[in-house]
Amino acid sequence: YGVNKENGKRSAYIPKDVYWGLVRKSRGSLGYNERQYETMEGTLSFRHKFWNIIDVNAVAGIGRYLDKGTGMTVSYQNANDMINDSNLAAADGPFSPTSYKYENEKRSQFLRASFDILDRYVLTATLRRDGTDKFFPDKKYSLFPSASVAWKLSNESFMQNLSWLNLLKVRASYGMTGSDNLGTSLYGIVGISREDIKFSNSSVTYVPYALQSANYSDVTWQKTTMKNIGLDFSILKDRIWGSLDVFRNDVTNLLDTAPTSLLNMYGYRPVNGGHYKRTGVELSLNTLNIQTPNFKWTSSLALSHYNACWIERMPNFDYKKYQKRENEPMNAYYYYKMVGVINEDRSNMPDSQRSLPREAQLPGYPIIDDRNGDGKIDINDIYMDNTLPKVYYGFGNTFAYKKFDLDIYMYGQLGVKKFNSTHSSNCSAANLASGILAANPTDYAYSIWNSQTNPNGEVPGIAYKSVTLPENAPINAFWEKASFLRVRNITLGYNWDARKLAFLKGNVQNIRLFVDFQNPFTLTKFEGDDPEIETSAGNLGHGQYPQLRVYSFGAKISF
């Protein structure tokens, strides 16, 4: 049994002399919340080796998982600045109280068994029956099976003569998991109405509560089917070892909301629908490069490639005319390609630009690439990029010389473009045109095209205002190559055998002194804040912080 309890208090206050929200008056809110997560499991295990051939390991169990919480918030106005939330009754109001309470429960029954035959063949099977109170009675429970097989080729007799091979194992797995994370209720919600209903006989009935959503008994578990093929290996007396995995995950019965039919009481309803797949390849490689009595050097390399594509969209999904209907990347970004900026006399403006509105033909506006060369700009000129990196990689090295050790780890991404939100927000000509200047602009502003001071500028000028291009697709201005190599950690340590220090009298066994550098530098051509922060086509906000650079030193003492 385990329990985790969290309690929180939040107080916010704006004094009356602060101009915020277009008014000067005191405002505040005071809130409390608590959350409790309980987990309780019981298991019965069995292990035995039959006839010295089959090693059986089995576990059966049940589980109950409870997540519950409550909260309350009171928003108030016109309080005394000296009192603020110390006495809400002293405020003049108005007051806006809110509260909530929730409780979610899951239950599981599971059975897992593995069979190791002759230390060569391994078979594992698992069956789970999971239930949740979020669904209606006939949809609460669902079965989720999984199985895996492995063949230790290196233990076969025909492989024994290969002295350089220490381990070679081939494996495959298949499994299914479920999710009930809908984010809304399937049961009809009753809310405050305060409505009066008038009848033909002039009588009036006051309705204090009304149903604000319907019951949706047809919604059930979202399911993920996972398939994997892998290879584990070790060679040259375990000096080189690693693994290779290829996988595909299919996510079906997606839990989401979709528009309802016309004249329905509610505009959206929860549904199951849609299907997408995630595919990938992962390689892990470790090496023991040098080992002597005083020096040791090991390395690790990780490479991976992922992709995610839609197989079937959610019900009633409204496709854009230019969108792919089959195997569309989930991280697809559609755009018109910018190939330059119209100069002052428009001598470099191609004829295809004349098919656009007049505002798109002014000096300082981006030149749009006529992709198919038909002399006009339309949806056939729209490009598509998959904003997922083509390769993720990580590379680490560990050196040990006598009592010194040095760890260096770096990682990065290749083949990826990101939106430079810093460049856009601080020097966007659209902001300049609308009279909105960034409070703290950067020197990117010097790259804006200007007929008088910067006729060779590469960033669109003040003409780059809101112009609706065909099908309202955007221009890829401010998108940049964002491949990078980041040194994540450099740690240097020294291990001091404290037992040799007489004044410690053997009470301390070891003292390790170390200095650590986190994110000391990053190699990239990306000019934004950080090439790693999330700036996908669907999330171009500026709220994420770049990585911090941290220098620290310390000591670890073992008694």
Side-chain angles (χ1 to χ4, degrees):
Y1 174 81
V3 59
N4 180 59
K5 301 189 69 171
E6 301 172 0
N7 296 276
K9 172 188 175 182
R10 184 178 188 273
S11 176
Y13 186 76
I14 301 173
K16 64 181 180 181
D17 59 346
V18 174
Y19 185 73
W20 187 78
L22 303 180
V23 294
R24 293 182 187 273
K25 66 177 178 180
S26 61
R27 284 153 289 175
S29 65
L30 182 64
Y32 296 90
N33 64 78
E34 62 179 38
R35 177 182 177 182
Q36 180 170 315
Y37 185 77
E38 299 178 39
T39 175
M40 182 169 59
E41 290 184 343
T43 60
L44 178 66
S45 60
F46 170 81
R47 182 165 188 174
H48 186 71
K49 194 165 188 177
F50 293 92
W51 310 294
N52 209 30
I53 296 176
I54 304 176
D55 191 355
V56 180
N57 190 351
V59 176
I62 58 175
R64 177 180 179 268
Y65 315 95
L66 181 64
D67 182 17
K68 60 182 180 181
T70 60
M72 179 187 69
T73 300
V74 178
S75 299
Y76 57 95
Q77 298 181 18
N78 300 311
N80 186 290
D81 287 345
M82 299 299 294
I83 300 176
N84 54 67
D85 67 355
S86 297
N87 183 4
L88 297 188
D92 294 336
F95 300 92
S96 300
T98 60
S99 63
Y100 67 87
K101 181 179 181 180
Y102 70 89
E103 186 169 327
N104 300 314
E105 182 178 348
K106 290 183 182 178
R107 294 185 180 183
S108 300
Q109 301 91 43
F110 50 90
L111 175 64
R112 181 179 69 250
S114 64
F115 306 89
D116 190 336
I117 305 173
L118 298 173
D119 198 25
R120 300 175 190 172
Y121 319 104
V122 181
L123 171 64
T124 303
T126 302
L127 180 63
R128 292 186 63 94
R129 180 176 179 262
D130 292 334
T132 175
D133 60 0
K134 294 183 179 180
F135 302 138
F136 276 74
D138 60 339
K139 303 289 186 180
K140 283 183 183 293
Y141 282 93
S142 187
L143 294 176
F144 300 101
S146 63
S148 65
V149 294
W151 180 15
K152 298 179 183 178
L153 281 163
S154 54
N155 288 354
E156 295 288 356
S157 57
F158 58 82
M159 303 286 285
Q160 297 303 311
N161 294 328
L162 301 177
S163 59
W164 54 271
L165 180 65
N166 304 108
L167 172 67
L168 181 61
K169 181 170 69 174
V170 181
R171 48 187 167 75
S173 64
Y174 170 92
M176 183 180 294
T177 61
S179 172
D180 65 342
N181 188 22
L182 178 60
T184 186
S185 175
L186 300 178
Y187 290 84
I189 298 176
V190 176
I192 299 174
S193 173
R194 297 192 178 96
E195 296 290 340
D196 293 336
I197 299 179
K198 296 183 179 180
F199 295 91
S200 58
N201 60 0
S202 298
S203 62
V204 178
T205 299
Y206 173 63
V207 181
Y209 302 101
L211 196 65
Q212 295 182 350
S213 64
N215 292 326
Y216 301 104
S217 59
D218 57 337
V219 179
T220 185
W221 288 84
Q222 174 179 303
K223 296 184 178 181
T224 301
T225 303
M226 300 169 287
K227 305 169 188 175
N228 179 280
I229 297 176
L231 176 71
D232 299 323
F233 61 89
S234 180
I235 60 175
L236 302 179
K237 297 182 179 180
D238 295 325
R239 297 182 68 92
I240 300 177
W241 69 97
S243 62
L244 175 66
D245 286 272
V246 180
F247 69 88
R248 169 172 171 164
N249 299 338
D250 284 84
V251 183
T252 56
N253 279 348
L254 295 175
L255 288 170
D256 206 341
T257 56
T260 58
S261 58
L262 294 176
L263 303 181
N264 195 290
M265 289 184 62
Y266 311 106
Y268 289 83
R269 60 151 295 172
V271 295
N272 286 111
H275 173 194
Y276 67 87
K277 67 176 181 180
R278 293 192 299 256
T279 56
V281 180
E282 297 176 339
L283 172 65
S284 174
L285 185 64
N286 304 276
T287 60
L288 175 57
N289 304 314
I290 299 175
Q291 186 171 22
T292 67
N294 293 324
F295 182 72
K296 182 179 180 181
W297 172 26
T298 60
S299 299
S300 63
L301 174 66
L303 297 172
S304 57
H305 168 74
Y306 305 106
N307 197 14
C309 295
W310 285 104
I311 304 298
E312 178 186 350
R313 284 286 194 168
M314 295 296 294
N316 302 324
F317 179 80
D318 187 16
Y319 276 100
K320 302 286 187 181
K321 291 183 179 180
Y322 52 77
Q323 276 189 274
K324 290 184 63 176
R325 273 23 177 206
E326 296 182 4
N327 290 322
E328 179 192 32
M330 295 186 69
N331 294 77
Y333 171 58
Y334 296 90
Y335 61 93
Y336 289 102
K337 185 177 181 180
M338 172 181 158
V339 293
V341 177
I342 300 176
N343 59 21
E344 184 178 6
D345 60 6
R346 302 196 301 172
S347 60
N348 66 338
M349 188 183 78
D351 292 337
S352 58
Q353 198 91 0
R354 303 184 187 279
S355 62
L356 297 176
R358 177 183 174 279
E359 291 80 4
Q361 303 177 38
L362 299 177
Y365 194 84
I367 298 175
I368 308 300
D369 182 30
D370 182 13
R371 185 180 185 184
N372 59 0
D374 63 354
K376 62 180 180 180
I377 302 299
D378 55 23
I379 63 173
N380 296 314
D381 300 309
I382 293 177
Y383 287 78
M384 185 201 74
D385 283 346
N386 188 343
T387 58
L388 279 179
K390 290 183 172 56
V391 177
Y392 298 88
Y393 64 93
F395 183 52
N397 287 275
T398 300
F399 306 90
Y401 176 70
K402 294 185 177 179
K403 296 181 180 181
F404 289 92
D405 57 81
L406 175 65
D407 289 313
I408 303 174
Y409 180 73
M410 59 191 73
Y411 68 97
Q413 302 173 1
L414 297 175
V416 60
K417 293 182 179 179
K418 287 186 179 294
F419 181 79
N420 186 342
S421 58
T422 305
H423 200 163
S424 172
S425 61
N426 283 330
C427 70
S428 169
N431 286 344
L432 296 176
S434 60
I436 302 174
L437 289 174
N440 193 17
T442 69
D443 57 3
Y444 288 141
Y446 292 111
S447 61
I448 298 177
W449 182 92
N450 184 290
S451 61
Q452 296 178 333
T453 61
N454 194 20
N456 297 319
E458 298 178 352
V459 175
I462 200 168
Y464 187 30
K465 295 187 293 185
S466 178
V467 178
T468 302
L469 299 178
E471 288 299 311
N472 203 26
I475 303 173
N476 70 331
F478 311 115
W479 280 78
E480 303 175 2
K481 293 181 179 179
S483 299
F484 71 89
L485 168 64
R486 165 168 280 141
V487 176
R488 177 62 177 177
N489 279 94
I490 301 177
T491 305
L492 175 64
Y494 177 78
N495 293 285
W496 199 348
D497 189 353
R499 290 173 296 182
K500 297 180 179 180
L501 300 177
F503 69 93
L504 294 176
K505 299 180 180 180
N507 294 321
V508 177
Q509 300 298 314
N510 185 73
I511 299 176
R512 183 174 186 270
L513 305 176
F514 66 89
V515 292
D516 181 70
F517 306 93
Q518 293 185 28
N519 304 312
F521 60 87
T522 302
L523 303 178
T524 182
K525 293 183 178 180
F526 185 71
E527 295 183 342
D529 286 332
D530 194 314
E532 191 175 1
I533 62 175
E534 176 61 38
T535 54
S536 63
N539 180 15
L540 305 183
H542 318 299
Q544 298 196 34
Y545 291 98
Q547 298 277 0
L548 297 176
R549 183 178 292 121
V550 180
Y551 306 97
S552 59
F553 64 92
K556 183 178 180 181
I557 303 174
S558 302
F559 295 92

